[in-house]
Amino acid sequence: MVGYGPAFFFSDTKGYFKYADIWQPSSRPFGYSAFLNLFRWTDSVWPIIVVQHLLGLLCAIAVYALVRRKGGARWLAIIATAPLALDGYELVVEHYLLADSLFTSLVLAGIICLVWEDRLSTKMALFAGLFLAAATLTRTVGLPLLILAVLYVLIRKAGRQRIIALGLAIVIPLGAYSFWFHHYYGVYGLGGWPGLMYGRVMSIADCTPTTKLELSSEEKLLCKRANGNQAYLVDYYVWSPKTALSDIPHNHTYAFTGEVLKQQPLDFAALIARETWTYFSPDFYLNRQQPKGTTCPQLWEFQVTIHEGYCQPKSVSSSRFGYHPGSHPGEDPEARPGKWHFYPGVNSDKWEGAAPTMLHSYQRYGGITPGPFLAICLLLVIGALVTGRRSGGWRLRWDALFLGASGVSLLVMAIVTSQFDIRYGVPTLALIPPAGALAWISLRSTFQRKDLPSRTDVAKS
């Protein structure tokens, strides 16, 4: 915070503040906008960013406490906690005025409520449902977690009362929000914008003159590929006014997306597999090699120099929010007294002070979580499931699987509905490392149990 000003902003940021101001749902869920409104009285972004960094610290403490509670040694708890506490991407995302930090905190809180107790209580099931529902109303990629949570409680045989408590805590908030969304847009939902899936399927759509895709005349207008570097750039198809997206009714966009998925399912599956693997690959950790057409990694890296262009973090020019005539570069001409506004930053050509240089070097030369480490954590989960199936200790294995599956589901859901993006991998740092730690505890217990003499051996002796 000392080196980079009050906060970073992204293209999504202004929308969050816009809908926070008018208290209205949009294509993005309202959760983060509601969070921002908690700080309206401060007229400052400083408290928002301070709280986001504190949430990251609390998540690290929670992971440490969970591993210790499950019987892990201090060194194991520290290893499971280190990604959240030390990862450079995590620190950058916490400094952005974006929903990701809040989302990660809500997801982890909900999952910990479910796995914390030896016998799940109704109160903890209720809190878990509320946290996970709030996470989904912050980012819709949390939807698979709701299914996983219900399955986990069913597998644990937690009892009818706990299952009902969890279900009601999920369904009531989501249902109420869906009715609120319907009030403004005439459809029931949590959000949505057809351009996101349009940009996604354009990564694989066969739009060549010899294409075998069977499309209607309106859908063929959408199947036009850009030239040069933008040909496979997902963001171009989502946001550029040069595409046919803004001229075609949404029902045709949805139909085009469905036809591409139906007629090129293997291509889409291969795309999802490649981009998911990138999060775990050594090549990304060593060389920052990303899949073709995805968001540039420099957006999520601490920088030293400032240049024109998209691929770098940008800082707000003032710590204040609100209408202050003449006090902000880049002031919104439509601003009016009493309206809460976001003002993009205007900077010199270099971040001042020693902190930017130190943070940039730290992140660039090792200060991120290696993808292979996350892969090893998932392999430990698989190993615990395979080796311990007849040796008892099922709770630890199911807890590890629940955490690991939740982390992977967030990655896959984000890639399916958007694209590979470094910030979409940040929530997994709160889930996959502790999953590996719990799996390690289970494996250790399994092999220790095998080394113990059986009752028959004791009787013979």
Side-chain angles (χ1 to χ4, degrees):
M1 293 178 69
V2 175
Y4 288 97
F8 293 143
F9 71 89
F10 190 63
S11 56
D12 299 352
T13 303
K14 192 168 185 176
Y16 285 122
F17 282 98
K18 172 184 176 180
Y19 289 98
D21 180 64
I22 62 177
W23 281 94
Q24 180 178 320
S26 68
S27 59
R28 298 181 184 88
F30 191 75
Y32 189 62
S33 295
F35 173 76
L36 295 176
N37 272 331
L38 297 176
F39 302 91
R40 180 188 293 266
W41 63 277
T42 67
D43 192 29
S44 174
V45 302
W46 282 109
I48 301 170
I49 297 303
V50 168
V51 169
Q52 288 186 177
H53 283 297
L54 287 176
L55 286 174
L57 180 60
L58 288 174
C59 286
I61 294 171
V63 168
Y64 181 89
L66 176 65
V67 175
R68 292 288 289 156
R69 181 177 175 83
K70 296 295 182 178
R74 287 189 179 89
W75 66 266
L76 184 63
I78 290 171
I79 290 175
T81 303
L84 269 176
L86 302 175
D87 186 88
Y89 292 134
E90 167 74 26
L91 297 176
V92 172
V93 169
E94 288 174 8
H95 203 64
Y96 266 96
L97 290 164
L98 289 172
D100 301 80
S101 295
L102 176 64
F103 175 75
T104 301
S105 303
L106 292 170
V107 166
L108 184 61
I111 290 177
I112 285 182
C113 283
L114 289 178
V115 304
W116 186 262
E117 297 176 317
D118 293 332
R119 187 174 185 274
L120 181 64
S121 66
T122 303
K123 179 176 68 175
M124 291 296 266
L126 184 66
F127 280 128
L130 291 174
F131 280 128
L132 292 175
T136 305
L137 294 177
T138 303
R139 287 190 61 212
T140 52
V141 293
L143 281 168
L145 300 184
L146 306 181
I147 300 172
L148 291 175
V150 172
L151 288 175
Y152 172 78
V153 174
L154 288 172
I155 289 170
R156 278 189 61 177
K157 299 178 181 179
R160 184 181 302 174
Q161 188 174 354
R162 284 85 175 174
I163 295 171
I164 292 174
L166 175 67
L168 289 177
I170 290 172
V171 170
I172 291 175
L174 297 187
Y177 185 90
S178 180
F179 275 95
W180 187 43
F181 190 86
H182 177 271
H183 173 73
Y184 285 96
Y185 302 105
V187 294
Y188 295 98
L190 305 180
W193 162 240
L196 294 176
M197 280 305 296
Y198 170 62
R200 175 72 292 189
V201 300
M202 284 302 290
S203 298
I204 59 159
D206 181 5
C207 295
T208 61
T210 58
T211 180
K212 295 181 180 180
L213 282 177
E214 297 179 1
L215 303 171
S216 67
S217 56
E218 292 84 359
E219 292 161 8
K220 288 178 180 178
L221 295 175
L222 291 165
C223 201
K224 292 184 178 180
R225 193 163 297 286
N227 297 319
N229 295 332
Q230 296 177 327
Y232 290 90
L233 188 63
V234 175
D235 284 341
Y236 171 82
Y237 295 102
V238 176
W239 305 115
S240 174
K242 297 179 181 179
T243 68
L245 184 62
S246 58
D247 302 322
I248 301 294
H250 287 179
N251 62 312
H252 293 301
T253 306
Y254 286 121
F256 170 76
T257 299
E259 287 299 323
V260 174
L261 293 176
K262 183 172 67 175
Q263 297 181 47
Q264 295 183 248
L266 296 181
D267 293 335
F268 190 69
L271 171 73
I272 302 307
R274 286 195 305 271
E275 295 195 4
T276 301
W277 165 246
T278 303
Y279 287 105
F280 304 99
S281 69
D283 197 33
F284 175 73
Y285 175 69
L286 295 173
N287 304 314
R288 306 296 199 273
Q289 290 295 319
Q290 291 197 182
K292 179 175 62 175
T294 55
T295 304
C296 59
Q298 291 82 7
L299 278 168
W300 317 110
E301 295 177 355
F302 290 113
Q303 301 293 324
V304 176
T305 59
I306 299 172
H307 54 82
E308 292 295 328
Y310 172 71
C311 290
Q312 64 170 345
K314 294 179 175 62
S315 178
V316 296
S317 59
S318 170
S319 64
R320 300 188 67 189
F321 279 87
Y323 182 48
H324 308 288
S327 63
H328 294 284
E331 204 169 85
D332 189 335
E334 297 181 359
R336 66 176 187 271
K339 198 173 183 181
W340 210 26
H341 280 271
F342 164 73
Y343 300 95
V346 177
N347 301 302
S348 61
D349 61 351
K350 186 177 182 180
W351 299 103
E352 300 296 333
T357 301
M358 294 173 59
L359 288 169
H360 173 75
S361 299
Y362 168 74
Q363 186 179 19
R364 197 65 186 167
Y365 302 107
I368 63 172
T369 304
F373 169 76
L374 299 177
I376 290 171
C377 289
L378 293 178
L379 289 174
L380 287 172
V381 173
I382 296 171
L385 289 172
V386 172
T387 61
R389 56 186 175 180
R390 295 183 180 178
S391 60
W394 62 270
R395 259 299 305 280
L396 268 178
R397 297 197 301 278
W398 284 119
D399 290 349
L401 178 62
F402 181 36
L403 283 160
S406 296
V408 173
S409 72
L410 291 180
L411 286 181
V412 173
M413 186 69 173
I415 291 171
V416 166
T417 58
S418 181
Q419 61 177 308
F420 172 92
D421 195 336
I422 289 171
R423 69 175 169 129
Y424 296 154
V426 167
T428 66
L429 302 180
L431 301 174
I432 293 179
L438 299 190
W440 176 271
I441 299 168
S442 176
L443 285 167
R444 183 194 61 187
S445 300
T446 297
F447 287 111
Q448 285 178 345
R449 198 176 293 112
K450 289 180 179 179
D451 291 338
L452 293 175
S454 66
R455 292 183 180 180
T456 304
D457 293 336
V458 173
K460 287 181 180 179
S461 62

